[in-house]
Amino acid sequence: MAARKAGPLAGVRVLELGGIGPGPFASMMLADMGATVIRIVRGAGWSSRNPILNRGRVTVEVDLKDPSGVAAVRRLAEHSDVVVEGFRPGVAERLGLGPKELHDINPKLVYGRMTGWGQDGPWAQAPGHDINYLSLTGALHAIGPKGGDPVPPLNLVADFGGGGMLLAYGIACALVSAAATGSGQVVDAAMVDGASLLMAMAYGHYADGSMVDERGSNMLDGAAPFYRTYRCADDRHMAVGCVEDQFYREFLQILGLDGDELFADQFDRDAWPQQSERIAGLFASRPRTEWEAVFADTEACTTPVLAMREAAAHPHVSARRTFAALDGIVQPMPAPRFDATPPGVPEPPTADPSSVAEALRMFGISQDGRSDPLVDSVLTAPRSPR
């Protein structure tokens, strides 16, 4: 893999240590923006083989129980701008790779830590997953049908939005600070904190009385007839999100309901169940493809619910190249977009020696093709980079 040179983070050097899911997602985001990322795995049993989460960086296998392996990683950290670490609290310190040890050799280092519960607190050492972090924030309680069970929204909220994306944001902030002050710092990104932060608007509405603490009972949780999904005749779905009055009125007009007294007051919560039932009956009368045509080029904020296999082919998504097939795999492209420093096309994960050597040259460790003892110590690549 050639050195990444395009994007707003071109020239930033990132060392990724351990972790699955949100940590690699943060590193993927940094690599997408042009950073050179070396990913360290600890042996043949390394866990995340995802060809999208691991894209854009080289992977090397290092035995962190071997003092020479730790010394090699410390040498890399000495030449890094960022370390991304996803171990349980205290593990990096026991390996001799904690922030104090690495800041002693590289004071400008931004040390990003990704955990579920954070670096402190009574549950800091407890295991967990997205659903557990989400369960303590009020978010999981709020998602699901009225009278039904809470429904986990995949693992998007705590793992990725409140985890990996929060870490990438924190690292970007700390890089700006390090450039201004000459001093790095630790970024403690906890999924329980990030998931809570994503609930800012919901907690605001709860505070002002416009949201009740009961799932399936509010405007944005499926209770409102103008903000929910409807099943079509072919068992596929349409998504309706016509919150503003002008969009709601157009929605009613298209459905032939604009003169119906039942729909006179959009925000009459007592009428919502009956309104939803009427609208559901209409959507159930025709297949999704027909409803797509009916709502095309309107301002009714009504769109098809696409399956993953369909998303990349949608005309708008396709025109923006939001997804692309790379290395035979359909995947989301880097976001956001930059007009002055656009990132390049993501490259697949790799562990081939020439790519590793090129990444080491970008780190300033091996130059002009000359060998370095560290290069030899880290060029043990996993058998499968995926």
Side-chain angles (χ1 to χ4, degrees):
M1 181 177 68
R4 295 287 303 272
K5 297 184 182 300
L9 293 183
V12 173
R13 299 163 296 188
V14 179
L15 179 63
E16 178 186 347
L17 304 177
I20 59 174
F25 181 66
S27 295
M28 183 204 81
M29 291 183 67
L30 299 175
D32 280 354
M33 292 298 118
T36 298
V37 185
I38 295 179
R39 180 170 179 261
I40 301 295
V41 297
R42 294 194 286 175
W46 59 291
S47 53
S48 178
R49 302 177 186 273
N50 190 295
I52 300 176
L53 283 184
N54 296 337
R55 73 187 183 193
R57 49 212 200 269
V58 298
T59 297
V60 293
E61 184 177 310
V62 178
D63 183 0
L64 295 182
K65 295 181 180 180
D66 185 333
S68 64
V70 173
V73 173
R74 287 171 62 88
R75 179 73 181 281
L76 285 168
E78 185 179 356
H79 292 260
S80 300
D81 301 296
V82 178
V83 164
V84 174
E85 176 260 298
F87 304 127
R88 282 200 198 183
V91 171
E93 283 81 355
R94 291 195 293 274
L95 291 170
L97 298 172
K100 183 181 184 304
E101 294 87 352
L102 299 190
H103 278 145
D104 285 344
I105 60 176
N106 184 354
K108 287 189 67 174
L109 185 69
V110 171
Y111 195 104
R113 315 197 82 166
M114 184 78 264
T115 60
W117 305 113
Q119 295 297 314
D120 54 24
W123 284 20
Q125 293 294 333
H129 289 287
D130 180 286
I131 194 171
N132 307 119
Y133 315 131
L134 200 60
S135 73
L136 295 194
T137 67
L140 185 58
H141 172 78
I143 301 172
K146 185 174 183 177
D149 298 328
V151 177
L154 298 178
N155 62 333
L156 299 176
V157 178
D159 273 358
F160 295 107
M165 195 171 290
L166 180 76
L167 177 58
Y169 166 72
I171 287 170
C173 292
L175 282 170
V176 172
S177 175
T181 66
S183 297
Q185 59 186 301
V186 174
V187 179
D188 175 5
M191 288 173 251
V192 69
D193 298 345
S196 299
L197 185 62
L198 291 174
M199 288 287 287
M201 187 180 80
Y203 272 99
H205 287 319
Y206 180 56
D208 68 20
S210 60
M211 180 174 180
V212 298
D213 196 13
E214 181 183 2
R215 63 182 160 273
S217 302
N218 297 282
M219 186 175 74
L220 301 179
D221 63 9
F226 52 86
Y227 201 90
R228 53 161 288 181
T229 62
Y230 290 96
R231 184 184 295 269
C232 303
D234 55 358
D235 288 332
R236 309 187 87 177
H237 295 80
M238 293 291 287
V240 175
C242 47
V243 177
E244 293 81 3
D245 179 71
Q246 68 272 29
F247 307 142
Y248 178 66
R249 292 299 160 191
E250 183 163 353
F251 173 74
L252 293 181
Q253 184 178 21
I254 291 169
L255 292 181
L257 299 172
D258 50 325
D260 194 312
E261 283 299 315
L262 176 61
F263 295 89
D265 185 352
Q266 179 180 358
F267 296 100
D268 180 1
R269 289 173 179 257
D270 292 335
W272 282 358
Q274 192 176 355
Q275 291 173 349
S276 291
E277 185 177 357
R278 285 278 302 280
I279 296 171
L282 293 173
F283 274 105
S285 68
R286 302 168 72 172
R288 193 193 76 184
T289 52
E290 291 188 21
W291 286 118
E292 287 183 64
V294 167
F295 284 99
D297 302 319
T298 74
E299 293 192 346
C301 301
T302 299
T303 51
V305 177
L306 301 181
M308 290 172 63
R309 64 182 178 275
E310 300 175 292
H314 186 272
H316 179 79
V317 175
S318 177
R320 284 184 59 82
R321 206 166 183 259
T322 300
F323 290 90
L326 304 177
D327 198 31
I329 299 168
V330 175
Q331 53 193 284
M333 290 294 94
R337 304 181 186 199
F338 298 81
D339 66 345
T341 57
V345 175
E347 298 178 359
T350 184
D352 68 84
S354 64
S355 296
V356 175
E358 176 63 24
L360 290 169
R361 284 192 290 272
M362 289 292 294
F363 271 61
I365 292 172
S366 177
Q367 299 180 19
D368 301 325
R370 293 195 298 269
S371 181
D372 183 284
L374 178 61
V375 176
D376 295 334
S377 72
V378 300
L379 275 184
T380 304
R383 292 184 180 179
S384 170
R386 302 291 175 86

